[in-house]
Each structure stands twice: as C-alpha cells, then as structure tokens.
Amino acid sequence: MRFAWNPLGYRAVRGRIERAIKQAQEEGRVAFIGLVPIDPQDMATTRKTADMLIASGVDIVMIHIPNRFPWMEGAVLQTAARFVWHAGITREEIFAFIKELRSAYPEIPLVDMTLYDTAVTMGEKRFFALSEEADVDGFDLPNCSLLRAEHGQNFYTLCLASGMHLILAISYELAMAPEATEEYARLCQMVRMARGFVFVMNAPGGQSGSAVKLSDEELRAAVQRVKAVMAREGNPCYVAIVCGISGQEDVERVKRSGAESFMIGSAYIKDLQDGKPVEDVAAYIRSVRAMCCYEAR
Amino acid sequence: MHPKRDKRLWYGSYGGCFIADAFSLACDQYYEQYCAATITEAFAEEYAALKTAFASDLFRVVKSGVEGLTLCYAGENVYSILGTALLAKHLGKKKALCGARYADEALLCARICKHLGVSLKLFLSADIAQISTLVTRLTALGAEVDTQTCRELFNLPEMYAFQAWIAAAEGQQLINCRSNVGAWPQTNIAGDFSLEYGEKLLAAAGKGYGRIVVPGVSGSLALSVFTAAEELSAELVCVECDTERDLAEELDSYCGTFTKVMRNRCSDRVLAPALCHLADLGRVTRVDMPQTCSMSGPQPEGAMGPLSLQSLAALDYCAAKEDNVETLCVLRGIRWGTVL
C-alpha cells in the first residue's frame, strides 16, 4: 500500500484513482471504469474476466459485490446477483478474490461496488476490514446516505481516515438545483465531501443499464454545474458518468460533457451472461477504450 | 389521519435510512406532501368514503372452546392501500405503482385506482402472475400489468414498484400494501394508515385481555394492532411460522428500509421495521412456531374459511399456554400468493 500526504488534511491517500484519471488525461482521453461481475461458475472465471478487462485497457476496476435486494440495479446486474446467490458464493470469497486481484495488479485502482446493505449484513467493521485488507481504493455504495444518516457519516469518516474514497453519486435534479434551495445546499455538501471522483447519473433512479438517458444538453449542463460548484467549494474532484453508457455515441456524449471518466458494466456483462466468448467481449472493451480518445488532440 | 413522525424509525435503529442522498429529498418532499394532504377535509371525506366502499371492517369475535381464549377473525388490513392510492389522486400524481404478492391486493389496488381515475402499473409476484384470469381482470380494470419481471429476476414485486417510483418520484405515487418496504417515509405512512384498522379491531374485541396474539408474516397486521395496543398493559405476541425451517435472521435493507429479514438461499421474509423496533424495546414478543398438528386438524370455532399457516400457529401457541391469562388471538384467512 502506498500512501501520499495530502496537504489539505491529515488523511492518508492511496492516490491510485487520481493517478489513473490523470494519466488518461495526459494521454488525451477520458478514463474508462469497468465493472467485474462475479461469475457464478467460480472465482477463477471471475479472475479471467478481470484480467481481460485490465488487459483491454480499463483504467479503474470496480468489483460487483451482489446484494439480495438489488433495488438500485438494472436487470443485467440483478440477474448477475441472482446467479451468484443461487451459486452460494460468499462475500468472503469475493473479498479473497479482490485481495488476489490487488496482489496481481498493485497499481490498478480497485473499488467495491455494492449497496450499503452488504456492510450491514456482514457487519460494517468486517466489511471495512476486509476491504482494507484487500487494499481497495474506494467504495461505490449508492444508498449510503452521507448527509442524513449517522451510519453514512461514520463510514465516510472511516474512509477519510484510511484513505479510501467513498464515491458519491449526483442525480441530474440535484446537479441542476437552483441556488438558495435545499437541493442546492445538499449538492454543495456532497461536492465538499467528494473524494476521487463523483458520479453524475445519466439515468433517473440511478439504475445500471438504463435505457432512459439524459439528453446531450442535460448531461453537459449537469457535469458543468457540478464542476462549477466544485470550483466554488474549493474541492476540484473528477467527474465520471454512470448508468446507460454502452456505445460510441454514449462515449462521445461523455467527452462532450466535460467529464473525465465514465463507467460501463451492464453492456458487456449481458454478453458474458449470454455465453459470449470472453475474447469477443475483450474486443468490445478494446473498442470502447479506443473511443475514449479525444480525436482533436 | 394523524401522521406520526417517529424519528427513531427515520434514521435510527430501523427505518428508511438506506437511501442515496440524491433521492432522499424526494422522500422528504413526499412526507411533507403527505402531511399536508391528509389533514384536509377533502382528503378525510374521500378517505372515509373509500373505506366504506372498499374496506371490510367486520371482525367476528367468538369465545373459543379453550377457557380464557377469545378469537377475533379479521379480514385484510387494506387501509394502507386505500390511503396511499388516494394520495396519488390528491397529490396530482400521473401514475401509481404497486407491487402485489397476493391476488386480492392486486385486484383491490386496480379497483381503487379505476374508481379514483388514477392510472396504475402493477408488478405481480411470480406466483400470481401465472393466474391468467387475474391478469385478464386487472387489465380490464385498466391496470398496466407486469407479469414478467418477478418471474425473470427476483420475486420481489414491491422492489420493482419502488425502483420505478424512485426513478420519477415527483410524478408517481407508490401504493404500499405493507409496512415493510421502502425508504423513509414509505413504511411510516403505511403504518399510519394501517393504525386505524388495529384500533377498530381492538374496539370490536373488547377490553380486559392480558395477552394479545397476532399472526405475522411481514408483521404489518401485528404492527397495526400492537401500535393501537401500545398503551395497554397486555402482553403482545407476534407468532411467526415459515414453511421453510432453515431461515436465518439477518439485518438488511429492503428498498432503503433497514430491518430484519428471515432468509435462506431462496427465500426472504422481511419484517416491518417498526415491529422490530417494538420487539427490541421489549414491548412485543416474537415467537417462531413450528408447523404443528393444528394444520391438519378441524377448523376452529367460528372460522369462515381456511386460516393462514401463521393463524394456525398462533392458535397452537395460545392453546399451549396454561397460565389462565385472558387472551385475544387474532386470526386471518389464507391468501393466494407466496409469503414475504
């Protein structure tokens, strides 16, 4: 584990997420966040998927830790969750896999993607300890309320102290909230607390694989607004787009929006579920990576 | 209506605390709208009319053959469905959403929405989605019926309704059948509407009981009775009985509400968070009964039809007590669909 001193405070910072996005910027492209689904066959097959994603150019790797009530996920990730539950794969096995992945890829940013429910059912301390042991760089826990709930604040404090980022998600409505409203106050609070990057949701409800997406103008406006508030609040983080990203036009919209990164998961996980050979999925991932470049540069 | 905001069940030990900050404002706004709407005369009048038209408050109270044991046969507590459906109209929502596990609640929901002129999308559990006569009837009542999602993904109709609601909360209304689903204030609102049923049941059953026993699946009926009885000195017992015996209790969150879930690798039974809270306070005792002889025995006195598994277990529980405590045992009929 490599820590860097953050001049803004006492906290230790792992820094892999920031380095990955910065490197993508230096290479003239947006950073690509990929999602590793847990394969119901075994963890060895899951490892092959992770290796394929990294070899194909994914910059930041999220690992899907399935929930029993996956209400913030779309049909593809719900199917993935169902398969994993029926296969009897435990969360401990998933954390062992993440630890193994860290050993193999010491510089790749790894992020736990799950609902806060996972921490509750496992016990928050155990969840956090296993994540720390696996040396993950952060958490995507979309239903962990930071502003309203004590547990969220406590978890955030733990993250700050350990240098792991709690990735926050901002909806279009929140991003565009008029000043002097309660929504705007919440936006400012979230932006102040953001670390690493924030997700701007490309779909209402924040469901993965959503067919309902923001328009080009809406997405750009949301990203620019969030960035403006970040600048005003003195906490310039990166912005990543999530939900409903799959093809060339989506990636172009991401680039036009001014976001530095985006996430794809459901689009290729569906192919894996349908039995598509991993080589074919790798070709898709490589094609997405190629789309990441700003042509003008 | 007397909305009761209980902060303990807001962001406390149990309740609707697991919701993204991006969505919590929609939940807050819904609560404010609910409070404002339900204190108006217009709402009260129409709600009273709805109850008369759609709710059966007939409680059959009989003395059992066992000394000191009174039986109260209760219908379904549909007040939450009535109330949250009526809110859709009064809040000017374009569409109502509901996840139904039982045929009777799906049908009731569709009838009420047609009556109120509210468009409805129903997510049916995998079990009732296969009843073609039900689906035909729901469609004839104008409901948009989703029979696929629960068959293809998780058999959690309430989850899909909640998911659809949170995606566009401003223009849509979630109809709650029970008090165990959804981020704050969904479970609280369902509990508020249901409370009146418990009060009526206790009024019909009379006073003087040292113990009140209610069968529980999600615990929504028990919660309404026990909330109404909270100030009484009676011992409050919720009797649970599952067809699968390997369920383990876990803390989890169901669409944002933090509560207790009884589960194995295939099934989940989600308890109303407010009931868990009462149990933690020691006010309610939860009893897990095995499936026993009553299930193959004769119908008890006064029963109009077959009783639910949990009701039979509650009877067994009462019969096994030999402490001469005057006991009220609430019983309900079997429903078509699976347990949650």
Side-chain angles (χ1 to χ4, degrees), chain A residues 22-52:
Chain A
K22 191 162 185 287
Q23 187 181 333
Q25 285 184 312
E26 286 169 0
E27 291 172 7
R29 59 184 177 84
V30 286
F32 179 6
I33 304 170
L35 178 64
V36 178
I38 302 303
D39 196 293
Q41 293 177 64
D42 51 42
M43 298 314 288
T45 314
T46 306
R47 175 61 193 273
K48 278 182 195 164
T49 306
D51 289 341
M52 176 273 289

Side-chain angles (χ1 to χ4, degrees), chain A residues 80-102:
Chain A
R82 195 165 62 92
F83 287 164
V84 169
W85 273 105
H86 287 308
I89 292 171
T90 66
R91 285 156 170 169
E92 283 72 13
E93 286 175 88
I94 296 173
F95 275 106
F97 157 73
I98 300 171
K99 197 173 168 184
E100 180 193 306
L101 203 60
R102 167 54 72 222

